Amino acid sequence: MNMLTYRSSGILLPVSALPGPYGIGTMGVQARQFVDFLSAAGQHYWQILPLVPPGDGNSPYMSSSSFAGNPWFLDLEELAEEGLLTPEELLSSRCANPDRVDYDWVRQTRAPLFEAAWARGEETYGPLVDAFLEEEKDWLPDFVLYQAVKEAYQGAPLEQWPRAVRLREETALAQLRAERKERCRYFAFLQYLFFRQWTALKQYANERNIQILGDLPIYVSPDSAEVWAQPALFQLDGELVPTAVAGVPPDAFTDLGQHWGNPLYDWDYHKKTGFAWWRRRGTHMARLYDAVRIDHFRAFHTYWSIPLGAESAKEGHWEPGPGMDLVEVLAGVPGLSLIAEDLGDLDDAAREFIAGSGLPGMKVLVYAFDPVGESAYLPHNCTPNSVVYTGTHDTPTFVQWLFDEAGPAEREYAMDYLRLREDEGFGWGAVRGAWSTPSRLAIAPMQDLLGLGADARMNAPGTMGEHNWSWRVRQEALNPSVSEHLRRLTRVYRRCL
């Protein structure tokens, strides 16, 4: 289903980056205030990053589940209102740093809070949790057992579990199900709370004509519930070790390519099942979001396969993906609108495949300004069936690109083309350029709306570091001056009434 039926615009801001006093953004009052900010600014879309639990490097693209929600996003104040937490416990979980997600702080403070909430709520919420386990039986029992077993082994990754458990031998599995039954219910309780709160937040947004644009990571972590419970989905050996892993060849981000390390899919198996797992995943996404960006969509055509043990991604090679068969399956999921993340190394065949899918692709301004050649990303070349971005979570902010990364000729061309002015703000100039394009949907990361530089970059692909995935917006930035200016600009370019 194509979502681009009228001109509109929106802002990219991960839930983790919302303001608030508890070390990370949550689905609480600040999320609703951001929805109100978007509504006042004449926007129709709130784009977020994946809601799944983060994995290595705190990345939501290396998750332990394709279906679970991240309990760190739970609104603690709502739990306190329900009597599950005390005012003293809320006070103990407050974090002083408003500018960065303090992942260590979140890990240290959330676990005891959630344990206390379950201890107080088990009698009341227990029947609801049991019903939720039954309702979500196609993924939740496997996920909570994975969580409970991982906890039993002090957080050790799947590859370090005892062989009988790792390979799900029936006797070992039955014993663990019995021993960890109550811990499974605890982890299911957190998921029940997450999906209840998210459903309420999405309803709040939709009632204010704000659509949620979600994100579907194409891969999962090798340390995940899916690899453990459904190994046939992946290219694994008999010990659940990937025989090859995901990444991309050398590109604009790195000369060595990117070695992601995710297990690759066994596409022959998926085809034999009629892509049943993907159909379930698409149905799940349609419940959570109004539209979904498919991460690394080019892998549907061909994917980069890196041999196990390779020293760099340069040793990989292209393999055929599932092709249009999977696109048609996902396009047939009721209520699922899709955007193709079609960036990166594309040959003519991949471009033809993406165009043939009919899905709107992405145009990114920070890649547009080749001073001597033409670019499909230049505003005048953007097509109506596309989503134009000033930048993404993986690019530098527009201001960072302009002054730190663009060459002198690139910078001069961008300044001339967009008529950038310091008195207006270079970020506003980029937003104006994106909003003016023929693309029916225009998106700006919140950082570009505020004209922020390198400190506000969300992620630098191919790197690990405390700055990745940690930037947060301050509450005072979501003010009427910003929303009114954005609304005026949005009306000028006919993206709101």
Side-chain angles (χ1 to χ4, degrees):
M1 181 187 300
N2 193 326
M3 59 183 283
L4 304 186
T5 56
Y6 59 91
R7 283 177 66 80
S8 59
S9 57
I11 299 298
L12 166 59
L13 183 72
V15 173
S16 63
L18 288 164
Y22 300 109
I24 193 170
T26 75
M27 298 179 285
V29 63
Q30 288 84 9
R32 285 162 174 77
Q33 289 171 346
F34 183 66
V35 169
D36 294 341
F37 169 86
L38 292 175
S39 180
Q43 305 309 294
H44 293 300
Y45 283 91
W46 175 11
Q47 182 171 349
I48 60 175
L49 296 186
L51 293 172
V52 292
D56 289 349
N58 302 311
S59 170
Y61 296 92
M62 185 64 83
S63 181
S64 59
S65 173
S66 297
F67 291 81
N70 184 357
W72 294 345
F73 295 158
L74 285 173
D75 176 15
L76 302 181
E77 293 178 354
E78 180 178 315
L79 302 187
E81 290 170 4
E82 296 175 27
L84 297 175
L85 298 176
T86 67
E88 292 76 19
E89 286 166 339
L90 280 186
L91 190 62
S92 71
S93 61
R94 295 175 74 92
C95 181
N97 187 350
D99 299 317
R100 294 278 168 195
V101 177
D102 189 332
Y103 285 101
D104 289 339
W105 176 267
V106 172
R107 288 187 183 91
Q108 292 166 12
T109 59
R110 287 304 194 271
L113 288 181
F114 294 156
E115 296 284 0
W118 176 236
R120 296 186 184 104
E122 181 175 3
E123 184 175 347
T124 300
Y125 287 89
L128 298 172
V129 168
D130 293 336
F132 187 61
L133 276 163
E134 178 61 26
E135 291 168 8
E136 306 295 328
K137 60 185 176 184
D138 63 332
W139 70 273
L140 186 56
D142 284 333
F143 173 71
V144 297
L145 182 59
Y146 163 84
Q147 290 283 94
V149 174
K150 190 177 182 69
E151 179 186 61
Y153 298 129
Q154 288 76 51
L158 177 60
E159 63 181 10
Q160 296 177 16
W161 294 5
R163 187 173 189 273
V165 176
R166 188 174 72 253
L167 300 186
R168 298 174 67 87
E169 294 180 7
E170 190 52 45
T171 301
L173 213 56
Q175 181 178 346
L176 280 167
R177 284 196 176 102
E179 292 175 353
R180 308 296 292 173
K181 180 179 179 180
E182 289 309 307
R183 295 308 292 167
C184 286
R185 295 179 77 232
Y186 162 73
F187 288 114
F189 167 67
L190 298 183
Q191 292 300 308
Y192 168 79
L193 293 177
F194 176 90
F195 285 101
R196 187 191 65 177
Q197 289 193 4
W198 177 254
T199 299
L201 176 57
K202 180 178 181 294
Q203 181 179 342
Y204 183 91
N206 290 167
E207 288 171 352
R208 286 149 184 81
N209 201 26
I210 304 297
Q211 307 294 297
I212 303 295
L213 175 50
D215 196 302
L216 189 157
I218 190 168
Y219 295 122
V220 299
S221 170
D223 183 19
S224 65
E226 280 87 357
V227 168
W228 184 49
Q230 301 179 77
L233 299 175
F234 306 97
Q235 297 178 28
L236 307 171
D237 66 17
E239 298 294 322
L240 301 192
V241 176
T243 55
V245 296
V248 290
D251 57 15
F253 292 113
T254 169
D255 293 336
L256 296 176
Q258 296 177 45
H259 188 293
W260 297 338
N262 310 78
L264 296 165
Y265 294 108
D266 182 339
W267 289 120
D268 289 339
Y269 172 84
H270 284 274
K271 289 178 183 179
K272 289 175 184 176
T273 67
F275 298 99
W277 181 78
W278 281 92
R279 196 182 306 273
R280 292 198 305 273
R281 196 178 183 194
T283 300
H284 188 70
M285 295 294 104
R287 291 166 52 197
L288 293 178
Y289 312 119
D290 299 295
V292 176
R293 187 199 81 128
I294 302 178
D295 171 54
H296 197 50
F297 181 74
R298 71 102 62 232
F300 281 31
H301 176 258
T302 42
Y303 62 89
W304 194 247
S305 175
I306 305 171
L308 188 67
E311 293 186 5
S312 81
K314 294 174 70 173
E315 298 179 42
H317 62 276
W318 292 112
E319 290 280 352
M324 206 60 71
D325 291 343
L326 180 52
V327 176
E328 291 172 356
V329 165
L330 292 176
V333 173
L336 186 63
S337 295
L338 302 171
I339 290 172
E341 189 271 281
D342 56 351
L343 309 176
D345 182 15
L346 302 177
D347 57 20
D348 289 342
R351 290 190 186 93
E352 183 177 343
F353 168 80
I354 292 165
S357 75
L359 300 183
M362 295 172 57
K363 313 292 184 182
V364 184
L365 288 191
V366 296
Y367 298 142
F369 297 101
D370 180 344
V372 296
E374 195 69 4
S375 167
Y377 297 165
L378 281 167
H380 67 268
N381 286 330
C382 293
T383 56
N385 189 40
S386 68
V387 184
V388 63
Y389 289 80
T390 58
T392 75
H393 66 274
D394 276 339
T395 70
T397 70
F398 185 83
V399 168
Q400 177 189 5
W401 170 80
L402 187 67
F403 292 107
D404 297 347
E405 301 195 9
E410 263 188 306
R411 183 182 309 113
E412 182 179 1
Y413 182 38
M415 297 282 284
D416 286 346
Y417 188 106
L418 296 174
R419 302 187 67 80
L420 299 178
R421 307 193 324 266
E422 187 172 3
D423 62 323
E424 178 189 32
F426 298 113
W428 281 116
V431 172
R432 180 165 39 77
W435 264 231
S436 70
T437 66
S439 301
R440 290 205 181 96
L441 178 57
I443 299 284
M446 193 70 206
Q447 296 96 314
D448 288 347
L449 197 66
L450 300 175
L452 302 179
D455 266 0
R457 182 171 184 165
M458 182 54 67
N459 179 54
T463 70
M464 299 276 279
E466 62 182 16
H467 267 54
N468 286 348
W469 315 111
S470 67
W471 177 80
R472 297 178 70 194
V473 67
R474 289 198 172 200
Q475 184 68 47
E476 50 265 34
L478 306 176
N479 61 66
S481 175
V482 176
S483 63
E484 289 168 8
H485 190 91
L486 180 57
R487 187 178 187 90
R488 285 195 300 272
L489 187 150
T490 303
R491 291 190 68 182
V492 164
Y493 294 107
R494 298 299 188 260
R495 294 189 180 272
C496 73
L497 299 178

